[in-house]
Coordinates of all heavy atoms in Angstrom, one line a residue:
P230 N 100.6 118.1 88.5 CA 99.8 116.8 88.5 C 99.1 116.6 87.2 O 98.9 115.4 86.8 CB 98.8 117.1 89.6 CG 99.4 118.1 90.5 CD 100.2 119.0 89.5
V231 N 98.7 117.6 86.5 CA 98.0 117.5 85.2 C 98.9 116.9 84.2 O 98.5 116.0 83.4 CB 97.4 118.8 84.7 CG1 97.0 118.8 83.3 CG2 96.3 119.3 85.6
S232 N 100.1 117.3 84.1 CA 101.1 116.7 83.2 C 101.3 115.2 83.5 O 101.3 114.4 82.5 CB 102.4 117.5 83.2 OG 103.3 117.0 82.3
V233 N 101.5 114.9 84.7 CA 101.7 113.5 85.1 C 100.5 112.7 84.8 O 100.6 111.6 84.2 CB 102.1 113.4 86.6 CG1 102.2 111.9 87.0 CG2 103.3 114.2 86.9
L234 N 99.3 113.2 85.0 CA 98.1 112.6 84.7 C 97.9 112.2 83.3 O 97.6 111.1 82.9 CB 96.9 113.4 85.2 CG 95.5 112.8 85.4 CD1 95.6 111.7 86.5 CD2 94.5 113.9 85.9
Y235 N 98.3 113.2 82.4 CA 98.2 113.0 81.0 C 99.1 111.9 80.5 O 98.7 111.0 79.7 CB 98.5 114.3 80.2 CG 97.2 115.1 79.9 CD1 96.7 116.0 80.8 CD2 96.6 114.9 78.7 CE1 95.6 116.8 80.5 CE2 95.4 115.7 78.4 CZ 95.0 116.6 79.3 OH 93.8 117.3 79.0
A236 N 100.4 112.0 80.9 CA 101.4 111.0 80.5 C 101.0 109.6 80.9 O 101.1 108.6 80.2 CB 102.8 111.4 80.9
L237 N 100.6 109.4 82.2 CA 100.3 108.1 82.7 C 99.0 107.6 82.1 O 98.8 106.4 81.9 CB 100.1 108.2 84.2 CG 101.5 108.4 85.0 CD1 101.2 108.4 86.5 CD2 102.5 107.3 84.6
A238 N 98.0 108.5 81.8 CA 96.8 108.1 81.2 C 97.0 107.5 79.8 O 96.5 106.5 79.3 CB 95.8 109.2 81.1
M239 N 97.9 108.2 79.0 CA 98.3 107.7 77.7 C 98.9 106.3 77.8 O 98.6 105.5 77.0 CB 99.3 108.7 77.0 CG 98.7 110.0 76.5 SD 99.8 110.8 75.3 CE 101.3 111.1 76.3
T240 N 99.7 106.1 78.8 CA 100.4 104.9 78.9 C 99.4 103.8 79.4 O 99.5 102.6 78.9 CB 101.5 105.0 80.0 OG1 102.3 106.1 79.7 CG2 102.4 103.7 80.0
A241 N 98.5 104.1 80.3 CA 97.5 103.2 80.8 C 96.6 102.6 79.7 O 96.1 101.5 79.8 CB 96.7 103.8 81.9
N242 N 96.5 103.4 78.6 CA 95.7 102.8 77.5 C 96.3 101.6 76.8 O 95.7 100.9 76.1 CB 95.5 103.9 76.4 CG 94.3 104.8 76.8 OD1 93.2 104.4 76.8 ND2 94.6 106.1 77.1
G243 N 97.6 101.4 77.1 CA 98.3 100.2 76.6 C 98.5 99.1 77.7 O 99.1 98.1 77.4
A244 N 98.0 99.3 78.9 CA 98.2 98.4 80.0 C 97.1 97.4 80.1 O 96.0 97.7 79.6 CB 98.4 99.2 81.3
G245 N 97.3 96.3 80.7 CA 96.3 95.3 81.0 C 96.5 94.6 82.3 O 97.6 94.8 83.0
G246 N 95.6 93.8 82.7 CA 95.7 92.9 83.9 C 95.9 93.7 85.1 O 95.4 94.8 85.3
E247 N 96.8 93.2 86.0 CA 97.1 93.8 87.3 C 97.8 95.2 87.1 O 97.7 96.1 87.9 CB 97.9 92.9 88.2 CG 98.2 93.4 89.6 CD 97.0 93.6 90.4 OE1 95.9 93.1 90.1 OE2 97.1 94.4 91.4
T248 N 98.6 95.3 86.0 CA 99.3 96.5 85.8 C 98.3 97.7 85.6 O 98.4 98.7 86.1 CB 100.2 96.4 84.5 OG1 101.1 95.4 84.7 CG2 100.9 97.7 84.2
L249 N 97.2 97.4 84.8 CA 96.2 98.4 84.6 C 95.5 98.7 85.9 O 95.2 99.9 86.2 CB 95.3 97.9 83.5 CG 94.1 98.9 83.2 CD1 94.5 100.2 82.8 CD2 93.1 98.2 82.1
T250 N 95.1 97.7 86.6 CA 94.4 97.8 87.9 C 95.1 98.7 88.8 O 94.6 99.7 89.4 CB 94.1 96.5 88.5 OG1 93.3 95.7 87.7 CG2 93.4 96.6 89.9
Q251 N 96.4 98.5 89.0 CA 97.3 99.3 89.8 C 97.3 100.8 89.3 O 97.2 101.7 90.1 CB 98.7 98.8 90.0 CG 98.7 97.5 90.7 CD 100.1 96.9 90.8 OE1 101.1 97.5 90.3 NE2 100.3 95.7 91.4
M252 N 97.5 100.9 88.0 CA 97.6 102.3 87.5 C 96.3 103.0 87.7 O 96.2 104.2 88.1 CB 97.9 102.3 86.0 CG 99.3 101.8 85.7 SD 99.8 101.8 84.0 CE 100.1 103.6 83.8
E253 N 95.1 102.4 87.5 CA 93.8 103.0 87.7 C 93.6 103.4 89.2 O 93.0 104.4 89.5 CB 92.7 102.1 87.1 CG 92.7 102.0 85.6 CD 91.6 101.2 85.1 OE1 91.2 100.2 85.8 OE2 91.2 101.4 84.0
D254 N 94.1 102.5 90.1 CA 93.9 102.8 91.5 C 94.7 104.0 91.9 O 94.3 104.9 92.7 CB 94.4 101.6 92.3 CG 93.4 100.4 92.3 OD1 92.3 100.6 91.9 OD2 93.8 99.3 92.7
V255 N 95.9 104.2 91.3 CA 96.7 105.3 91.6 C 96.2 106.6 91.0 O 96.1 107.6 91.7 CB 98.2 105.1 91.2 CG1 99.0 106.4 91.2 CG2 98.9 104.0 92.0
L256 N 95.7 106.5 89.8 CA 95.2 107.6 89.1 C 93.8 108.1 89.6 O 93.4 109.2 89.5 CB 95.0 107.3 87.6 CG 96.4 107.1 86.8 CD1 96.1 106.6 85.4 CD2 97.2 108.4 86.8
G257 N 93.1 107.1 90.2 CA 91.8 107.4 90.9 C 90.6 107.3 90.0 O 89.5 107.5 90.4
L258 N 90.8 107.0 88.7 CA 89.8 106.8 87.7 C 90.1 105.7 86.8 O 91.3 105.4 86.6 CB 89.6 108.1 86.9 CG 89.0 109.3 87.6 CD1 89.2 110.6 86.7 CD2 87.5 109.1 87.9
S259 N 89.1 105.1 86.2 CA 89.4 104.0 85.2 C 89.8 104.7 83.9 O 89.5 105.9 83.7 CB 88.1 103.2 85.0 OG 87.1 104.0 84.4
V260 N 90.4 104.0 83.1 CA 90.8 104.6 81.8 C 89.6 105.0 81.0 O 89.7 106.1 80.3 CB 91.6 103.5 81.0 CG1 91.8 104.0 79.5 CG2 93.0 103.3 81.6
E261 N 88.5 104.3 81.1 CA 87.3 104.7 80.4 C 86.7 106.0 80.9 O 86.1 106.7 80.2 CB 86.2 103.6 80.6 CG 86.5 102.3 79.8 CD 87.6 101.4 80.5 OE1 87.9 101.7 81.7 OE2 88.1 100.5 79.8
E262 N 87.0 106.3 82.2 CA 86.5 107.6 82.8 C 87.5 108.7 82.5 O 87.2 109.8 82.2 CB 86.3 107.4 84.3 CG 85.2 106.5 84.6 CD 85.2 106.2 86.1 OE1 86.3 106.0 86.7 OE2 84.1 106.1 86.7
L263 N 88.8 108.4 82.7 CA 89.9 109.4 82.6 C 90.1 109.9 81.2 O 90.3 111.1 81.0 CB 91.2 108.8 83.2 CG 92.4 109.7 83.3 CD1 92.0 110.9 84.2 CD2 93.5 109.0 83.9
T264 N 90.1 109.0 80.2 CA 90.4 109.5 78.9 C 89.5 110.5 78.4 O 89.9 111.6 77.9 CB 90.4 108.2 77.9 OG1 91.5 107.4 78.3 CG2 90.6 108.7 76.5
P265 N 88.1 110.3 78.4 CA 87.2 111.4 78.0 C 87.3 112.7 78.9 O 87.1 113.8 78.4 CB 85.8 110.8 78.0 CG 86.0 109.6 78.8 CD 87.4 109.1 78.7
Y266 N 87.6 112.5 80.2 CA 87.7 113.6 81.0 C 88.8 114.5 80.6 O 88.7 115.8 80.6 CB 87.8 113.2 82.5 CG 88.1 114.3 83.4 CD1 87.1 115.2 83.9 CD2 89.4 114.7 83.8 CE1 87.3 116.2 84.7 CE2 89.7 115.7 84.7 CZ 88.6 116.5 85.1 OH 88.9 117.6 85.9
L267 N 90.0 113.9 80.4 CA 91.2 114.7 80.0 C 91.0 115.4 78.6 O 91.5 116.5 78.4 CB 92.4 113.8 80.0 CG 92.9 113.4 81.4 CD1 94.1 112.5 81.2 CD2 93.2 114.5 82.3
Y268 N 90.3 114.7 77.7 CA 90.0 115.4 76.4 C 89.1 116.6 76.7 O 89.4 117.7 76.1 CB 89.2 114.4 75.5 CG 88.8 114.9 74.2 CD1 89.6 114.8 73.1 CD2 87.6 115.6 74.0 CE1 89.3 115.3 71.9 CE2 87.2 116.1 72.8 CZ 88.1 116.0 71.7 OH 87.7 116.5 70.5
A269 N 88.0 116.5 77.5 CA 87.1 117.6 77.7 C 87.9 118.7 78.5 O 87.6 119.9 78.2 CB 85.9 117.1 78.5
Y270 N 88.8 118.3 79.4 CA 89.5 119.3 80.1 C 90.4 120.2 79.2 O 90.4 121.4 79.2 CB 90.4 118.6 81.2 CG 91.3 119.6 82.0 CD1 90.8 120.3 83.1 CD2 92.6 119.8 81.6 CE1 91.5 121.2 83.8 CE2 93.4 120.7 82.4 CZ 92.9 121.3 83.4 OH 93.7 122.2 84.2
K271 N 91.1 119.5 78.3 CA 92.0 120.2 77.3 C 91.2 121.1 76.4 O 91.6 122.2 76.1 CB 92.8 119.2 76.5 CG 93.8 119.8 75.5 CD 94.6 118.7 74.9 CE 95.7 119.3 74.0 NZ 95.3 120.0 72.8
E272 N 90.0 120.6 75.9 CA 89.2 121.4 75.0 C 88.6 122.7 75.7 O 88.3 123.7 75.1 CB 88.0 120.5 74.5 CG 88.4 119.5 73.6 CD 89.0 120.0 72.3 OE1 88.3 120.8 71.6 OE2 90.2 119.8 72.0
A273 N 88.4 122.6 77.1 CA 87.8 123.7 77.8 C 88.8 124.8 78.2 O 88.5 125.8 78.6 CB 87.1 123.2 79.1
L274 N 90.1 124.5 78.0 CA 91.2 125.5 78.4 C 91.1 126.7 77.6 O 90.9 126.7 76.4 CB 92.6 124.9 78.3 CG 92.9 123.7 79.2 CD1 94.3 123.1 78.9 CD2 92.8 124.2 80.7
A275 N 91.2 127.9 78.3 CA 91.0 129.2 77.6 C 92.4 129.7 77.2 O 93.4 129.5 77.9 CB 90.3 130.1 78.5
S276 N 92.4 130.5 76.1 CA 93.6 131.2 75.7 C 93.2 132.6 75.2 O 92.2 132.8 74.7 CB 94.3 130.5 74.6 OG 94.9 129.3 75.0

């Protein structure tokens, strides 16, 4: 799910109108919420 979330979030940054609304409804977060969340998630990953 994380991989799908990242790829769709990247794509959603180029979407508009009803296309964006549907994508945000499916993803469960707005692009404005999801983009910084995924950045913080990646930065927090341990190796």
